[in-house]
Amino acid sequence: MKKIDVQMVEDIATGAALLGTGGGGDPYVGKLMAIQALKKNGPVNLIDIDEVPDEALIVPAAMMGAPTVLVEKIPSGKEIFKAFDSLKSYLGDEIFAVLPIEAGGVNSMIPIAVAAEKKLPLIDADGMGRAFPELQMVTFHLYGVSATPMVLADEKGNSLLLNTINNFWTENIARNATVVMGGSVMVAIYPMRGKDLKKAGIRNIVTKSAKIGQSIREARKNGNDPIETLLNTIESYVLFKGKINDVIRRTTGGFVRGEAHIEGIDQYKGETMTINFQNENLIARRNGKVVATVPDLICTVDAHTATPITTEGLRYGQRICILGIPCDKKWRSEKGIATVGPRYFGYDIDYVPVEELIKNC
Amino acid sequence: MKKIDVQMVEDIATGAALLGTGGGGDPYVGKLMAIQALKKNGPVNLIDIDEVPDEALIVPAAMMGAPTVLVEKIPSGKEIFKAFDSLKSYLGDEIFAVLPIEAGGVNSMIPIAVAAEKKLPLIDADGMGRAFPELQMVTFHLYGVSATPMVLADEKGNSLLLNTINNFWTENIARNATVVMGGSVMVAIYPMRGKDLKKAGIRNIVTKSAKIGQSIREARKNGNDPIETLLNTIESYVLFKGKINDVIRRTTGGFVRGEAHIEGIDQYKGETMTINFQNENLIARRNGKVVATVPDLICTVDAHTATPITTEGLRYGQRICILGIPCDKKWRSEKGIATVGPRYFGYDIDYVPVEELIKNC
């Protein structure tokens, strides 16, 4: 059994922020919450999906809302425990373990804080293998798992327990409540049994995040190129390198939406890239031609340090490298593409795997 | 102990629609729900506040949202039982009785349907003695009773259990959820103990409504003037008689807001009246001069039959009589006026009791 300590938290935060593809929250805010909980309660046990009994109840914990808001509206740290306790008391059953719902700087950390505080193990799995903006955009949904009963809690002390007829209604009602409650809330959601997670979950997100974070950290320490190291650590492709020219960003309806324009540098000089995002990066176009789309991962990192940059962290003049990473194969099913493919987000683009698109560049 | 039968339901619906001052829902839709429940389950026992033990749990049941929506989006009839059951199960205690939260064509009837279905008595009390548009606008609020835990349920099968830090947050979150859930929902709200109701409730709303409805019905049957009869039945004043010239109405943010312009007839010929409303009638001006404001009741009835007309029922050409009725004295306190006086609704008008205003006309 692995133990998650403060060093590993740092690595997970970095790696998960990369896999968060621009969303999932800022790793700095996330780390503070997790480290505080570890310092108070000691290290957290990390377990594999197969260690979860079939009938055991497990609960993902996360932040919901626009990450732009979370940067200024720091959670009290208590509301996620409240959400978790309310859901537990409603379900009237013991919770065996917690897990992340997605990768991301905050959403990889919140479940660690809950695991530490509640003395529960953390499961090395999630429902995305990356981050997505809407509640039904999880592999759990593809396998018919209900997002409700779920609990939303804000830092003021308001909370809300939701039961719906399907996950689209959950997204609809919870998203609007999130906006009213201040733009970001903490949620305990998709309670399910071990056997459901084994079918519907994506394995190894925590260890994968930790490995990515560790490789970046060690490359920097050893004077190696962290981006080179990254390319050797996980299957990934450089889509572009450039300087941010312009970022248009609006926080509306509980999301941050916008686009980033990047001017090529080095071997990309004279070229351009545009990235559209809704919390997460959705579409990357090089010289107007699509080179990667959801559900594949479009990751923005600092061109020199490989530090992941969230969509709310994108700034004029930054030199960034854009990486493409193939998504989990669960997303490449017909239902997966219908749920999180480019057309769901309103783009008239067919999904083509990034590893194929990149061959034509 | 009084029994509520179908005849009494008809009378209560009429009287409560009058006291609903334009809001509280259409009596036709409300009656259908209550009569159906009575036919299935038999008559309902009506009890006085003083028959409720101090420690007994009591729960008001109501429709929340824009009445304009309810006219086209008929409730399934099941969602209020679901809301009630969810709240009961959350509270983990027996519910002794139900009661209306306000007077109104629908909101006087829903608690009767719940009482019939759940075999519980109905308490002859409410939290307004009339109808108001927002959740915190109840005498319960003036005495510090929390609106939460409350449950909202829609006709699709979605439901939501809310816990908040104060009644304004409840209004805010629940109102937005209502809009998302289709514009009107059923709610079980303000659960409280008998001793709280005895302090904070308004007595006799059900028997008062029944008496008003009965007097109108009998006056018609006996060939008497129903408006004359009404004036002799409860303390009330004729503010105006006229023909509706124009109605401006917008359903927005979960409310119907607007104003009605009325041209005088009979002894009011050559004069005008304007009524501003937000679900309920708020301000009445005769020839530009204020003659009644919230929290006093401004009631619109058919000039010949005395049938109460809701704000969504106001139509060009209708001949109506506008009545002023003094509100319960709980509303005339400083906190009462701050909660539901003209200034709360954005009007730069001091509250003056209708019986004083009418003297200067």
Side-chain angles (χ1 to χ4, degrees):
Chain A
M1 192 182 283
K2 291 197 192 83
K3 294 262 181 201
I4 299 178
D5 57 15
V6 172
Q7 175 66 77
M8 192 171 172
V9 159
E10 301 262 1
D11 290 340
I12 294 169
T14 304
L18 180 95
L19 298 174
T21 72
D26 184 84
Y28 182 73
V29 174
K31 266 191 319 200
L32 291 183
M33 289 180 66
I35 291 174
Q36 190 183 23
L38 287 189
K39 287 195 169 154
K40 185 181 157 207
N41 304 289
V44 161
N45 289 329
L46 179 67
I47 61 172
D48 190 76
I49 274 190
D50 296 322
E51 295 176 66
V52 181
D54 275 357
E55 293 308 319
L57 178 65
I58 56 106
V59 175
M63 180 274 294
M64 169 169 189
T68 37
V69 174
L70 197 68
V71 172
E72 303 194 356
K73 177 171 164 285
I74 306 289
S76 83
K78 296 274 191 313
E79 59 265 37
I80 185 61
F81 308 137
K82 188 176 165 185
F84 198 80
D85 290 341
S86 300
L87 187 59
K88 183 182 164 180
S89 132
Y90 177 78
L91 293 168
D93 198 354
E94 281 308 302
I95 294 175
F96 178 80
V98 291
L99 70 155
I101 197 159
E102 65 174 7
V106 166
N107 274 341
S108 63
M109 296 288 110
I110 288 171
I112 297 177
V114 175
E117 179 76 18
K118 299 293 170 191
K119 318 273 187 220
L120 295 174
L122 182 80
I123 308 170
D124 191 5
D126 76 341
M128 303 193 199
R130 45 162 298 160
F132 277 121
E134 299 180 12
L135 291 187
Q136 78 285 0
M137 295 177 171
V138 286
T139 49
F140 310 147
H141 173 75
L142 304 184
Y143 289 77
V145 180
S146 172
T148 64
M150 80 174 278
V151 174
L152 288 83
D154 70 19
E155 79 295 347
K156 293 172 282 291
N158 299 309
S159 73
L160 194 150
L161 187 145
L162 200 55
N163 274 294
T164 65
I165 46 169
N166 65 46
N167 295 337
F168 292 97
W169 272 109
T170 311
E171 164 63 21
N172 194 4
I173 297 171
R175 185 71 49 189
N176 276 275
T178 299
V179 174
V180 177
M181 290 162 94
S184 78
V185 296
M186 294 292 162
V187 300
I189 186 170
Y190 281 102
M192 71 186 98
R193 300 288 158 185
K195 63 185 172 199
D196 298 316
L197 180 65
K198 286 170 194 174
K199 264 190 306 200
I202 291 182
R203 287 166 182 259
N204 306 325
I205 190 72
V206 180
T207 44
K208 187 177 181 181
S209 299
K211 192 170 131 195
I212 292 169
Q214 186 185 355
S215 75
I216 294 175
R217 175 170 55 84
E218 289 180 350
R220 285 182 202 156
K221 194 175 137 194
N222 301 331
N224 298 329
D225 177 2
I227 291 178
E228 262 323 300
T229 309
L230 202 53
L231 295 172
N232 294 326
T233 304
I234 51 162
E235 187 188 352
S236 52
Y237 308 93
V238 173
L239 302 177
F240 202 70
K241 231 178 214 182
K243 193 171 76 81
I244 298 180
N245 218 332
D246 195 15
V247 183
I248 303 159
R249 204 190 273 114
R250 288 174 310 128
T251 300
T252 168
F255 297 113
V256 51
R257 298 172 206 257
E259 55 185 74
H261 298 270
I262 305 126
E263 245 180 56
I265 52 173
D266 301 347
Q267 71 269 43
Y268 298 91
K269 205 168 172 73
E271 298 188 67
T272 61
M273 173 157 276
T274 310
I275 299 175
N276 301 93
F277 55 82
Q278 175 184 338
N279 288 13
E280 284 76 28
N281 299 320
L282 302 178
I283 311 282
R285 288 186 182 89
R286 182 173 158 197
N287 306 320
K289 199 177 153 197
V290 173
V291 291
T293 77
V294 272
D296 287 329
L297 288 68
I298 300 164
C299 308
T300 46
V301 301
D302 182 283
H304 299 291
T305 64
T307 300
I309 303 171
T310 56
T311 47
E312 75 272 15
L314 297 170
R315 297 282 181 276
Y316 174 84
Q318 276 170 340
R319 275 154 177 80
I320 65 172
C321 180
I322 296 110
L323 301 173
I325 302 178
C327 65
D328 188 273
K329 64 180 189 303
K330 280 193 167 78
W331 287 125
R332 292 186 172 185
S333 65
E334 198 180 325
K335 193 167 178 193
I337 298 303
T339 305
V340 293
R343 289 188 192 279
Y344 181 87
F345 290 97
Y347 296 91
D348 191 18
I349 300 170
D350 283 324
Y351 170 70
V352 179
V354 62
E355 60 273 26
E356 290 179 34
L357 285 172
I358 201 83
K359 280 183 202 154
N360 308 321
C361 284
Chain B
M1 193 183 282
K2 290 199 194 82
K3 295 261 180 202
I4 299 178
D5 57 15
V6 172
Q7 175 66 78
M8 192 171 170
V9 159
E10 301 261 1
D11 289 340
I12 293 168
T14 304
L18 180 97
L19 298 174
T21 70
D26 184 82
Y28 183 74
V29 174
K31 266 194 314 201
L32 291 182
M33 290 180 65
I35 290 174
Q36 190 183 23
L38 286 189
K39 285 194 172 156
K40 186 180 156 208
N41 304 289
V44 160
N45 290 329
L46 180 68
I47 63 173
D48 190 74
I49 276 191
D50 295 323
E51 295 176 66
V52 182
D54 274 357
E55 293 309 320
L57 179 65
I58 56 108
V59 175
M63 181 274 294
M64 170 169 186
T68 37
V69 174
L70 197 68
V71 172
E72 303 194 355
K73 176 170 165 285
I74 307 288
S76 82
K78 296 274 192 313
E79 59 264 37
I80 185 60
F81 306 138
K82 188 175 166 184
F84 198 80
D85 289 342
S86 299
L87 187 59
K88 183 183 163 177
S89 132
Y90 177 79
L91 293 167
D93 198 354
E94 283 306 303
I95 295 175
F96 177 80
V98 291
L99 69 155
I101 197 158
E102 66 175 4
V106 166
N107 274 340
S108 62
M109 296 287 110
I110 287 170
I112 296 177
V114 175
E117 179 75 19
K118 300 293 170 192
K119 319 271 188 223
L120 294 175
L122 182 81
I123 307 169
D124 192 5
D126 75 341
M128 302 192 200
R130 44 163 297 160
F132 277 121
E134 299 180 11
L135 291 186
Q136 79 284 359
M137 295 176 171
V138 287
T139 48
F140 310 147
H141 173 76
L142 303 184
Y143 289 78
V145 180
S146 172
T148 64
M150 79 174 278
V151 175
L152 287 82
D154 70 19
E155 79 295 346
K156 295 172 282 293
N158 300 309
S159 74
L160 197 149
L161 187 146
L162 199 56
N163 274 294
T164 65
I165 47 169
N166 65 46
N167 295 337
F168 293 97
W169 273 109
T170 312
E171 165 63 20
N172 194 4
I173 297 171
R175 184 70 49 188
N176 277 276
T178 299
V179 174
V180 177
M181 290 163 95
S184 78
V185 296
M186 294 292 161
V187 300
I189 186 169
Y190 282 102
M192 71 185 98
R193 300 288 157 187
K195 62 184 171 198
D196 298 317
L197 180 65
K198 287 170 194 174
K199 263 189 305 196
I202 291 183
R203 288 164 182 259
N204 307 326
I205 190 72
V206 180
T207 44
K208 187 177 182 180
S209 299
K211 192 170 130 196
I212 292 169
Q214 185 185 355
S215 75
I216 294 175
R217 174 169 56 83
E218 290 180 349
R220 284 182 202 155
K221 194 175 138 195
N222 302 332
N224 298 330
D225 177 2
I227 291 178
E228 262 322 300
T229 308
L230 202 54
L231 295 173
N232 294 326
T233 306
I234 52 162
E235 186 188 352
S236 52
Y237 308 92
V238 174
L239 302 177
F240 203 68
K241 231 179 217 184
K243 193 171 76 81
I244 298 179
N245 217 332
D246 195 16
V247 184
I248 303 158
R249 204 189 273 114
R250 289 175 310 127
T251 301
T252 169
F255 297 113
V256 50
R257 297 171 206 259
E259 55 186 71
H261 298 270
I262 304 125
E263 244 181 55
I265 52 173
D266 300 347
Q267 71 269 43
Y268 298 93
K269 203 167 172 77
E271 297 188 68
T272 61
M273 174 158 276
T274 309
I275 300 175
N276 301 94
F277 55 82
Q278 175 185 337
N279 289 11
E280 283 76 29
N281 299 320
L282 303 177
I283 310 282
R285 289 187 182 89
R286 182 173 159 197
N287 306 320
K289 200 177 154 198
V290 173
V291 291
T293 77
V294 273
D296 287 328
L297 288 68
I298 300 164
C299 308
T300 46
V301 300
D302 182 283
H304 299 291
T305 64
T307 300
I309 303 171
T310 58
T311 49
E312 75 271 15
L314 297 170
R315 297 283 180 274
Y316 173 83
Q318 275 170 341
R319 274 153 178 81
I320 64 173
C321 180
I322 296 109
L323 301 174
I325 303 178
C327 65
D328 188 272
K329 64 180 190 300
K330 280 192 166 78
W331 287 126
R332 292 186 171 183
S333 65
E334 199 179 324
K335 195 169 178 192
I337 297 302
T339 305
V340 292
R343 290 186 192 279
Y344 181 87
F345 290 96
Y347 297 90
D348 191 17
I349 300 171
D350 282 323
Y351 170 70
V352 179
V354 62
E355 61 272 26
E356 289 179 34
L357 286 173
I358 200 83
K359 281 184 204 155
N360 308 322
C361 285

